[in-house]
Amino acid sequence: MRVLIIEDEVKIARNITRVLDEEYSWAVDICTDGEDGRHMAMTNPYDLIILDLGLPKIGGIELLKNLRARGMTTPVLILTARDDTRDIIEGLETGSDDYMVKPFDMRELMARCKALARRSYGRAAPVIEIGGISIDTARHQVMFRGRLVRLSAMEYRLLEYLAMRAGEVVSKADIAEHLYSSYSENFSNVVEVYVCSLRKKLGSGPNREVIHTLRNQGYVLGEPPA
Amino acid sequence: MTSLSLKWRVSLWVSAVLVAAITTISIAAYVEFEESHLREIDRTLLAMANGISAILDDRQSQDKLEKEVRAVTAAPGPNIPSFPYRIWMDGSSADLLVSDAPDNEHGRWLRELPGRSSEPPEEPAFMNIGRPHDEYRAIWMQHRIDEGIVNIVVAGSSHFTFHELREFLQLLLVLGTSLIVGSIVAIMWTVRCGLRPIDATAKQLQDIAHPNDREAVFDKKKVPTELRPFVRALTDMLERLNGVLQRQKQFTSDAAHELRTPLTSAKSTLQATQMQQRDPDEYRRAIDNALEDVARMERLIGQLLVLARMDEVNGPTATAEVELDVLLGELAETYDQRARQAGGKVNLEESSATTVRGDLDELVRLFSNILDNAVRYGPPGGAVRVALKCGPDGYATVYIRDEGGNIPPDAMPHLFDRFYRVDQSRSCSTGGAGLGLAIAQEIVRRHNGDILVTSSPDSGTLVSIRLARA
């Protein structure tokens, strides 16, 4: 999952980034003003945007209006010190999906982020089951045929993303865009390495592949489309 | 004692005026009624007395005289008593002619009558005699004949007149009283109706729970013309109060926002650190980070308290003679040390012994805020120049100039607004909450001074503060 935080209070943004990276191994980008935020949101495929309202250059509400007018469907969570009911209603009616008031609880924010990301892929249940693999997105636990499988942060990140889009062909570039922030170096061959190690850990054999490779197209978790 | 309600006061006044008017009219009518009736009788009596005088002038014999007099004083109709009379020579007690016997009741009155007035009348005199329910009107006149002066008294029953007068009085009393009572009721009702719009307006006012309600509540058609200025004044007042309320609300909301930001920052730092086992260095960094936020909150709370206290009292809390030159010298040195860490400097270029009257703590805060801004927002390594000049008008002006001059023109009108920041991003490096200049302006205002900020890229930012010298 890849998240954009648009927040002018750098410390708060850094703390959220740290937690999302450490706990969820999500890729996070930070913008400290509305103008940068709009540019980043328009040029990268984010799974979630955390948006402050009192932003320099372009205000949060204005920015959100702008993004929605351009047809962007990424979930937006407003994180602001404005606690007036009218502000909350305005935020939600402008197109945000959730609203949190500062000071917030970090765990609650994480849980909400997770729920929003899950929903954006049309998934209601936190546990995804595909071909004998059970992925608990809340606990970050992966079970394969009743056995707990230990995955590295990057392996889990990849598996979760593929699981969210199970049954779809996901290109390598797509994976790279959703798993790395703008600041991390990404090489598409690294994706292959992680796919390879995932296959090993999920005990796939020649006849029962969990992650299918479609040449020149990408990967599919579960049954590939006909 | 609570004052009577307007309704009662108006009713009482109108009723009092009405009672006085009705009473006056009744008394006048009664008197006029009485006089007109008596005039009637008096005319008859005078005619009879004159007739008797004429008879006396033309007198031939006692018999004929008596007969003629009796004819003159005869009753004008049946069931009406004839007019008693008495005629006698002046100075003699013997009657020349009399209608009633001396022991008769009427005769006694006729005889007693002259005794009532010591001097015999030159003009015919009229008087009331008799007793209640048997009243008589009498004329007493003197007439000169050859033998001397003759006294003539003729009396006529005025019983009927007095009877009518009594009835008229009764009528007046009954009519007047019911008129008064009826009028008072009518007045009360009218006043009540007249005052109903006030009640209605008051009710409308009562319904105002929020300054924004006033538009909805005041239906212009329902407010009577007389009350419109009052209602307009009231709405204007609400408008002003609403403005104050809005500013207060904005201030509270800004203050909450400003306090929440460092709190959120500290909380998120601590929670993020708490989530995993960290090494001591990371804990130390987290503590430093959180303490930075706490310091920011502390500073902000301090500033808010200063503003709140200054809002409470109007003038400076303590007035003492403050040596402005000494104060500026010390502050310039303090900020010079701070500026030197970044390669800049603060220099007191011009100064002379000057005292102003005011609060030392507030003046220190005022110049600290301005110097702090100059060092903080001026270009790194720039020089801040301070000058204290005394004008001939009894004022001292402090000039604090930095080399910045980058305040945009559209920001100038808002510089003294609470929580206004020229640079809207809250970067931690400059980190003010936008209260410094607001506090400075408040302090200057409390010292009856002026503060002015000009900024241009050529000459830098100049803050001039004018204070009255002691």
Side-chain angles (χ1 to χ4, degrees):
Chain A
M1 297 292 143
R2 190 169 168 194
V3 180
L4 174 63
I5 300 176
I6 310 173
E7 161 72 73
D8 64 338
E9 195 67 30
V10 183
K11 263 203 227 170
I12 296 175
R14 277 197 201 128
N15 286 330
I16 300 171
T17 307
R18 184 182 188 184
V19 170
L20 290 178
D21 174 47
E22 283 179 359
E23 303 292 317
Y24 290 171
S25 43
W26 282 4
V28 184
D29 290 325
I30 298 175
C31 290
T32 53
D33 68 64
E35 223 166 70
D36 275 4
R38 185 172 60 186
H39 175 74
M40 289 290 275
M42 294 312 297
T43 48
N44 296 290
Y46 290 103
D47 296 300
L48 174 69
I49 296 172
I50 297 174
L51 179 66
D52 186 15
L53 291 187
L55 288 170
K57 295 181 187 169
I58 302 174
I61 289 290
E62 183 65 34
L63 172 60
L64 180 57
K65 225 177 260 176
N66 213 306
L67 293 179
R68 290 301 186 223
R70 293 181 188 207
M72 203 200 67
T73 56
T74 310
V76 171
L77 183 147
I78 291 177
L79 183 63
T80 177
R82 294 183 200 163
D83 63 343
D84 199 286
T85 314
R86 272 176 294 188
D87 288 323
I88 298 177
I89 292 171
E90 192 195 6
L92 291 171
E93 287 186 343
T94 308
S96 89
D97 301 88
D98 204 350
Y99 196 105
M100 273 187 89
V101 175
K102 292 176 187 173
F104 59 92
D105 190 280
M106 198 58 100
R107 290 193 179 279
E108 188 186 337
L109 175 74
M110 288 165 65
R112 282 173 189 262
C113 288
K114 191 108 221 192
L116 285 171
R118 171 158 53 74
R119 260 294 172 196
S120 74
Y121 286 103
R123 305 233 166 240
V127 181
I128 304 167
E129 311 245 7
I130 293 147
I133 310 171
S134 154
I135 303 155
D136 185 339
T137 56
R139 291 194 178 73
H140 286 218
Q141 277 182 357
V142 178
M143 307 279 278
F144 180 63
R145 298 193 177 159
R147 276 186 306 111
L148 193 69
V149 183
R150 293 207 172 276
L151 297 180
S152 75
M154 272 317 287
E155 284 163 0
Y156 177 79
R157 221 192 263 201
L158 173 63
L159 180 63
E160 191 191 64
Y161 183 63
L162 288 176
M164 288 286 184
R165 300 184 61 178
E168 276 179 68
V169 183
V170 187
S171 73
K172 238 195 271 183
D174 206 343
I175 293 174
E177 272 181 338
H178 277 90
L179 300 196
Y180 298 99
S181 72
S182 308
Y183 310 107
S184 50
E185 300 170 31
N186 69 76
F187 306 100
S188 25
N189 59 344
V190 177
V191 175
E192 281 166 28
V193 174
Y194 286 124
V195 170
C196 193
S197 67
L198 260 182
R199 277 177 176 154
K200 248 181 236 165
K201 287 191 178 177
L202 296 173
S204 55
N207 294 323
R208 16 166 240 84
E209 197 63 80
V210 186
I211 302 169
H212 303 270
T213 310
L214 287 105
R215 200 161 295 280
N216 293 330
Q217 287 188 59
Y219 303 97
V220 180
L221 182 68
E223 287 305 306
Chain B
M1 197 184 97
T2 53
S3 61
L4 275 172
S5 79
L6 188 62
K7 186 173 81 183
W8 282 104
R9 258 188 283 179
V10 170
S11 306
L12 271 179
W13 274 109
V14 177
S15 304
V17 169
L18 199 80
V19 167
I22 290 176
T23 312
T24 313
I25 291 169
S26 303
I27 290 172
Y30 180 81
V31 169
E32 181 57 33
F33 188 82
E34 183 184 25
E35 277 181 357
S36 74
H37 271 76
L38 291 181
R39 258 199 307 277
E40 194 93 358
I41 300 175
D42 289 353
R43 257 203 307 278
T44 315
L45 292 177
L46 186 62
M48 285 179 182
N50 284 335
I52 292 171
S53 303
I55 294 166
L56 283 173
D57 284 342
D58 204 20
R59 152 174 66 106
Q60 282 146 5
S61 72
Q62 184 74 16
D63 277 357
K64 201 169 178 196
L65 177 72
E66 204 171 329
K67 209 170 126 195
E68 277 177 357
V69 166
R70 198 162 290 145
V72 166
T73 60
N79 298 328
I80 299 172
S82 61
F83 292 81
Y85 56 87
R86 180 181 168 220
I87 300 160
W88 73 99
M89 289 301 293
D90 205 35
S92 152
S93 62
D95 292 329
L96 208 59
L97 266 177
V98 70
S99 61
D100 283 295
D103 51 346
N104 176 310
E105 195 174 9
H106 293 166
R108 210 163 50 242
W109 293 341
L110 291 175
R111 246 165 280 278
E112 275 169 4
L113 181 64
R116 289 194 187 176
S117 164
S118 48
E119 284 296 309
E122 284 172 16
E123 290 288 304
F126 297 94
M127 54 212 76
N128 291 319
I129 54 173
R131 57 187 166 89
H133 301 290
D134 196 11
E135 297 88 350
Y136 277 83
R137 183 81 171 161
I139 184 171
W140 178 18
M141 66 180 274
Q142 291 191 322
H143 184 66
R144 183 174 292 279
I145 53 169
D146 301 339
E147 289 88 342
I149 293 168
V150 184
N151 284 297
I152 304 165
V153 169
V154 184
S157 172
S158 58
H159 168 70
F160 186 68
T161 303
F162 279 96
H163 176 73
E164 270 197 1
L165 269 176
R166 268 192 296 276
E167 275 188 352
F168 184 60
L169 187 66
Q170 270 171 17
L171 183 79
L172 277 182
L173 279 177
V174 171
L175 212 69
T177 311
S178 38
L179 200 66
I180 285 168
V181 170
S183 310
I184 287 173
V185 170
I187 286 163
M188 297 270 289
W189 185 77
T190 313
V191 168
R192 212 184 142 90
C193 284
L195 292 183
R196 200 167 289 156
I198 293 184
D199 287 345
T201 309
K203 213 182 139 20
Q204 286 183 331
L205 287 176
Q206 230 163 33
D207 286 343
I208 297 180
H210 193 273
N212 287 342
D213 292 350
R214 67 198 182 286
E215 288 304 325
V217 163
F218 279 115
D219 187 352
K220 288 268 180 330
K221 275 176 255 163
K222 281 188 191 161
V223 178
T225 323
E226 290 82 357
L227 284 181
R228 283 210 185 131
F230 175 71
V231 168
R232 201 174 306 127
L234 216 58
T235 17
D236 287 353
M237 186 188 77
L238 280 175
E239 197 83 44
R240 286 196 300 277
L241 287 181
N242 195 28
V244 173
L245 213 66
Q246 282 303 323
R247 278 197 294 284
Q248 193 63 40
K249 207 175 153 188
Q250 185 60 46
F251 177 71
T252 315
S253 130
D254 287 345
H257 188 271
E258 289 301 325
L259 281 169
R260 268 183 190 145
T261 304
L263 179 65
T264 307
S265 183
K267 190 176 171 185
S268 66
T269 303
L270 294 174
Q271 282 188 328
T273 310
Q274 194 193 31
M275 277 186 189
Q276 290 190 2
Q277 192 68 40
R278 315 272 179 194
D279 58 54
D281 259 4
E282 276 186 275
Y283 282 124
R284 204 166 297 127
R285 263 203 305 279
I287 291 171
D288 287 346
N289 256 329
L291 282 177
E292 236 172 63
D293 291 322
V294 170
R296 205 168 130 195
M297 273 189 273
E298 216 173 278
R299 201 174 108 99
L300 183 61
I301 290 169
Q303 286 181 320
L304 286 173
L305 284 177
V306 166
L307 274 176
R309 264 186 227 124
M310 285 198 293
D311 282 346
E312 270 171 32
V313 255
N314 270 329
T317 38
T319 48
E321 302 222 329
V322 179
E323 291 171 319
L324 202 57
D325 51 319
V326 178
L327 173 77
L328 281 173
E330 285 171 3
L331 283 174
E333 202 161 309
T334 309
Y335 280 91
D336 187 46
Q337 281 172 11
R338 193 181 296 179
R340 275 177 198 286
Q341 291 171 5
K345 60 180 177 183
V346 177
N347 199 3
L348 180 59
E349 290 183 336
E350 191 183 333
S351 179
S352 56
T354 309
T355 46
V356 294
R357 190 165 283 283
D359 184 287
L360 178 62
D361 287 345
E362 287 187 5
L363 289 173
V364 168
R365 191 180 287 278
L366 163 66
F367 292 111
S368 300
N369 280 356
I370 306 298
L371 284 168
D372 189 63
N373 277 353
V375 171
R376 205 188 280 266
Y377 299 113
V384 175
R385 285 175 295 159
V386 182
L388 167 61
K389 290 178 186 170
C390 291
D393 53 353
Y395 279 89
T397 312
V398 179
Y399 299 93
I400 297 172
R401 188 192 294 275
D402 67 46
E403 292 172 349
N406 47 1
I407 303 175
D410 55 339
M412 293 308 276
H414 303 291
L415 281 184
F416 296 105
D417 291 357
R418 291 175 183 190
F419 296 112
Y420 181 80
R421 268 180 298 239
V422 176
D423 177 16
Q424 304 242 323
S425 65
R426 280 183 298 264
S427 52
C428 285
S429 54
T430 50
L435 289 175
L437 275 181
I439 291 174
Q441 189 195 35
E442 195 63 24
I443 294 172
V444 170
R445 192 185 62 77
R446 284 154 63 82
H447 285 79
N448 298 318
D450 290 310
I451 182 165
L452 192 76
V453 181
T454 56
S455 185
S456 78
D458 301 333
S459 56
T461 299
L462 172 68
V463 181
S464 27
I465 295 161
R466 210 166 79 110
L467 295 169
R469 276 184 298 177

